[in-house]
Amino acid sequence: MGINLLLAAETTIAGASNGVALAFGELSLLELASFCFNLALVLVFVLIVSARYVALCFGRASLWKEDLVGSDGDVRLNGVADVEEAHNIVIGKSYKASVVCCFYVLLVYIFVLGYAGIGLIREAAQGESGNSGWTVLLLPAALSLAWFVLSSSVLYCKYKAAEKYSLLLRVWWIASFIISLCMLYDDGKGFLKEGSGHLDSYVLANIIVTPALAFICFIAFGGVTGIQVCRNSDLQEPLLLEEEAGCLKVTPYSEAGLFSLISLSWLDPLLSVGAKRPLELKDIPLLAPKDRSKTNYKILNSNWEKLKAKDPQKTPSLAWAILKSFWKEAWRNAIFAGLNTLVSYVGPYMISYFVDYLCGKGTYPNEGYVLAGILFTAKLLETITSRQWYLGVDIMGMHVRSALTAMVYRKGLKLSSSARQNHTSGEIVNYMAVDVQRVGDFSWYLHDIWMLPLQIILALAILYKNVGIASLATLIATVVSIIATVPVARIQESYQDKLMAAKDDRMRKTSECLRNMRILKSQAWEDRYRLILEEMRNVEFKYLRKALYSQAFITCIFWSSPIFVSAITFGTCILLGGQLTAGSVLSALATFRILQEPLRNFPDLVSMMAQTKVSLDRISAFLQEEELPEDAITTLPRGISNVAIEITNGDFCWDQCSPTPTLSNIHVKVEKGMRVAVCGVVGSGKSSFLSCILGEIPKISGEVRICGSAAYVSQSAWIQSGNIEENILFGSPMDKAKYKSVIQACSLKKDLELFSHGDQTIIGDRGINLSGGQKQRVQLARALYQDADIYLLDDPFSAVDAHTGSELFKEYILTALATKTVIFVTHQVEFLPAADLILVMREGQIIQAGIYDELLQAGTDFSTLVEAHHEAIEAMDFCNLVSEESDENDHLKSLLTVENSNLASNSITGLAKEVQEGVSSSEKKAIKEKKKAKRSRKKQLVQDEERERGRVSMKVYLSYMTAAYKGLLIPLIILAQTMFQVLQIASSWWMAWANPQTVGDEPKTSSMMLIGVYMALAFGSSWFIFIRAVLVATFGLAAAQKLFLKMLRTVFRAPMSFFDSTPSGRILNRVSIDQSVVDLDIPFRLGGFASTTIQLLGIIGVMTQVTWEVLLLVIPMAIACVWMQKYYMASSRELVRIVSIQKSPIIHLFAESIAGAATIRGFGQEKRFMKRNLYLLDCFARPFFCSVAAIEWLCLRMELLSTFVFAFCIVLLVSLPAGSIDPSMAGLAVTYGLNMNNRLSRWILSFCKLENKIISIERIHQYCHIPSEAPAVIEDLRPPSSWPENGTIELIDLKVRYKESLPVVLHGVSCIFPGGKKIGIVGRTGSGKSTMIQALFRLIEPAGGRIIIDNIDISKIGLHDLRNRLSIIPQDPTLFEGTIRDNLDPLGEHPDQDIWQALDKSQLGDVVRQKEQKLDTPVIENGDNWSVGQRQLVSLGRALLKQARILVLDEATASVDSATDNLIQKIIRSEFKDCTVCTIAHRIPTVIDSDMVLVFSDGRVAEYDTPARLLEDKSSMFLKLVSEYSSRSSGVPDF
């Protein structure tokens, strides 16, 4: 119909203006095209200029950011370099050469125009002028006008100081060069035929200007003008030193013009930077407000809440909420997808007409060129729409991911305790890392649901035109192909469910192992837990193998389905007696080739729908979990009541299914400004009491009212990654005076001076480089800085030494919090007299309440606690000594002195004077150090995550390809794919050759022979694709497993310093996200790249076989492709690396926030953490957005190149004389050429995506080469089985540092611990006590000196041989998820009888017997269902089971009450009487009966002797410590 309209139009025009038609008829087709093209672009130029000035008149110039000359690459917003902004403009040689070339071409065409005009005048004078003589002026006039506009535009670039040429200018130059080349080719043919008679002024002009056009075409590809703007250096400086300069600008995408959006040229400035140097995060512009996480989160959360509120009984659909939130984006993408689908079928529809035309059956003049024009336009539209569609889909996926991640994070902060037990942090990380990712990725498949039927309908319409009623067979065959996937989809969903569940389990266990790596290494359990992880991976791998092999089977079915459909169609047509022609067969084959894409994608669609449904269900279930009730506590505004806390008839229970509540019958009324102490034995409900005030514990009945804001300090310190200052400020603005007083009140000043970076010291994962006491004091400082009304402190003094504890109580609770309401849990009886109210708890009830003296007289539980404490004090037996020396020691408030220093005393008074006077040399030094620290952070423990730069190393590719079967499968995969492609081409060639060219011609073979050979070739190719799919799956599985095991074993063999300096989020990122990519993505990416490469070579082979001239363009196109791909990859690689790195902080913040959720909620900081999460999501989305846009930028240019090559091929076929080429073969070339732009972009895309995905292997590869700690066992140097017999420990000049770049922590420690003796180790918090123990276990290798145990240097033997012979009860009690039995005896070495004995001795036997499951009583993640004291007792049980000759107690009794502590000490004395026991303790009674006491100060041995001798020495630091503890413990009313 369209062709008839064109004919009618031609006839009308001819009738109306015969003279004009004749005139234009004298121009050749190429000349006519050049004339029309140049005039059209001049018109576009005029329209753009006009529209810009109209827009300026209406004050809407901002809408037209597509500045004609400078918009496309300008780093400035308006393209103009103001005089104030730039004081120097450097004009490059390339710009000057471009100007010369443009004016050169302009002058040539003006000369030609003048020459033609003179000739015309001469002819007119001689009376020889014809009707159409004036047409000789048309082309030179149009070209002169065009080049005048171009030359002016180039000059205008200098005025605008534009650093890049506009896209219009560049397209114009490139097109002019291509037209010039085509004319040269045409003129060359004419010259060969006609000789010199063919030459005229225009032909000569074209030859003369071609070199100049070639140069400016080259410039156009780069787009850089060569003009450099040098700006004032002071204006170059960012507004804030800390601000990333690059982050000050928003992405140009948000305000790009139409032309820039279509061409994606808004990305040029970023790619230009990336080509010059590796990109950094600061180079990447901010997202537009509509693309940011906050915007999308608000929209999705609002729709989700509306759905929940609409019908509370019904389960809301998360999928529906997502669709309601992002329907506009989905609709916009649908328009592009629909348009793309329609134009993709134009080619197959037109092929039969094209073959008919080549056979000499043309229906009107120039039909071949019209067909070529239609095919070219369709391919052009297909290219543009596909790129816009894909970019839109990626942006929508990014929006969905950001919004869902934010919702999951917010939910994680609000989970109730019972809901929290159903989801471990590992599972929640998986919701974020895997499930959210999958839901976002589904945006790629969303439109396939409705496009598949549309594509089938269009295909059937074309097939009906070509093969008639046989197209019904096509429909049936297609439906059968689709229905066959239904059972496969169910199998896929089942495997996916099981795979995700197995992955969750593995991630949970991995997360737990990383958190507790210190205890695993201390106990030499890391191999056992690594084997558990390997077993869990094997379960996951079993389902992974099933999933990949089933995927291979599906791949084979669907690569074969187009072959099956085509065979059925052709067979049916022959059986029904229909006549096939070359044109109809090629049209049908082209249709099948397009149809095979949706059919081949259908299994992915079904599989993705199944996977997405699973992920949506998991996320939806999580989002509907129970939250902490907002009405659990009633919060009144500050100052409204004098009652700060009131609980009436309170019953609370952690486990709502439990018959007995955790807390029952709670009645408490606390007046404003009161100090309330809570005490009781281990497990009596003290921490739960604080939780009920915070609203953390589910309320069964009663009412809780608090007046004012609250601050909470947990028993197990929760420290954020970041520096110390950030931890203390906790989101509040800096107030220097307040900050100093807080540091002082929390006794942190000395500690900060000891750190080389002061308060800018970066804290490792979970505060790893701080001692227990330092962590606790940072927590206290955080609480104090918030200036809350109510302070809830959960046993804050257990982790600090006696002196620091006493100072803290005095300066913190009695002074800094004098006007505040304070409730503190404590086991330190000596602090109780200062309390206004004491609550005594037992079995979840407050059994006594009153002041100290009242409770003491009443007897019962309180007096038992106090008596136990006094027993411990009396055991010290030095009271008389204290009384004699009390006057002398009154002024000595400092526990430790700094060696070689004459500083004033380190008491709070001394510190206060220092602050006031500001003249202390140490303080000046500290300030100087702090300033220095801010400038340089190279020596911090935790560094920014490392990333490779530049190209992905070939070693990474080789390491992956040789990981499975030494790479032997790779050539087999390539061979199978090559055979598939060869047989596919052979089957198409056979059908084109064997069928008659037109209706009525004789076929070259019989019908049975025709269809038989076709089916043999076609189905033969499907066998090879099956072989390829199985080989790829086999290769991928083996490689993934090998890499995983190598990484896991390397990580578990890494030294402890690696875990101290590496946030667990980084490791989890690799074992979850990167491993998923290696498991499921990379093998298919590798296979896909191989298949696309071979397909592309096949297409080029077919096209060059028919028209070898195509090679003239294919070779330059290949060079241009390689150049563009390199230009793109320079930026893309870095963008993907930045994306990978920016993912880790999101996961790390999440894991950290879940662990500290109670603290975050206690401070009311949920909003700040939510904002932080949204900020990190945007930091991730910025490089991701640029990364996906860069892929489309490249694909657009690749496809445009291949479209021009295809157009050239068609024009060539049309231009060749009739009969010089076989029409069937020409049709075959066009059939394959239609697919060329798609294959080329797919080839480049698959290579780029492969390289981007290979970065996951690069990251895993990094963790496969972590330096290992010393061997577990050294066979030649194994100690005797009875070692150590005596247990003597010698430290000889021991020096220790945490990392080579960090300062020494232990300075030449030398001493001997005699075998079988009890050694007490004391010293101020952070003095090096725990560091020495780490050196003993070789968790840190000494920087100098030696440790000798029973005449064996421990550095010479294997780590397991050492650690298995030592036993430790650590400072932070750790329980693993599982059972009590697993926690006591993970290696399964002891019978139940021994385990019960150990439990009885550690005072837990009765507690465990009361549980239904006895030794199989469950322990949840982190042991959260056991109190901290009970966890410490389990650690004691482990030591009792191990029965090592050397036992280390690192603050082992800090979290238990005095009575339990006394009992534990008695157990240790009896059970370990022949062992060497090293006890680090802050409670003096714990170490006073030791055989020897070692006093540490600033990493040095200050004193080492028997307690008696140290107490006799009046200058002894130990004596000062004992005096301090005694005066504090005797209840002296200093407070």
Side-chain angles (χ1 to χ4, degrees), residues 802-837:
H803 168 76
T804 310
S806 183
E807 291 292 351
L808 272 177
F809 191 77
K810 191 184 294 181
E811 291 297 320
Y812 191 89
I813 289 183
L814 299 182
T815 308
L817 300 181
T819 59
K820 308 288 185 182
T821 308
V822 183
I823 298 185
F824 63 97
V825 171
T826 187
H827 291 125
Q828 275 87 347
V829 174
E830 58 270 21
F831 295 142
L832 298 178
D836 300 320
L837 176 68

Side-chain angles (χ1 to χ4, degrees), residues 1439-1486:
L1440 288 164
L1441 266 181
K1442 200 170 183 181
Q1443 285 293 332
R1445 292 286 299 168
I1446 296 172
L1447 172 66
V1448 175
L1449 285 84
D1450 188 359
E1451 283 299 331
T1453 56
S1455 302
V1456 297
D1457 56 89
S1458 294
T1460 313
D1461 184 10
N1462 294 346
L1463 202 58
I1464 289 171
Q1465 294 305 327
K1466 284 174 187 171
I1467 293 164
I1468 289 168
R1469 284 183 205 115
S1470 61
E1471 295 296 325
F1472 297 96
K1473 58 178 180 293
D1474 298 324
C1475 302
T1476 306
V1477 180
C1478 303
T1479 306
I1480 295 176
H1482 292 138
R1483 286 180 179 167
I1484 295 304
T1486 309

Side-chain angles (χ1 to χ4, degrees), residues 54-55 167 175 201 294 430 561 565 727 760 798 1027 1137 1227 1305 1359 1362 1397 1416 1462:
V54 169
L167 194 66
S201 61
K294 185 179 180 180
N430 258 2
S561 60
V565 171
N727 268 278
Q760 298 304 306
S798 61
I1027 292 166
R1137 283 171 176 147
V1305 183
L1359 290 179
L1362 169 67
Q1397 278 182 6
D1416 293 320
N1462 294 346

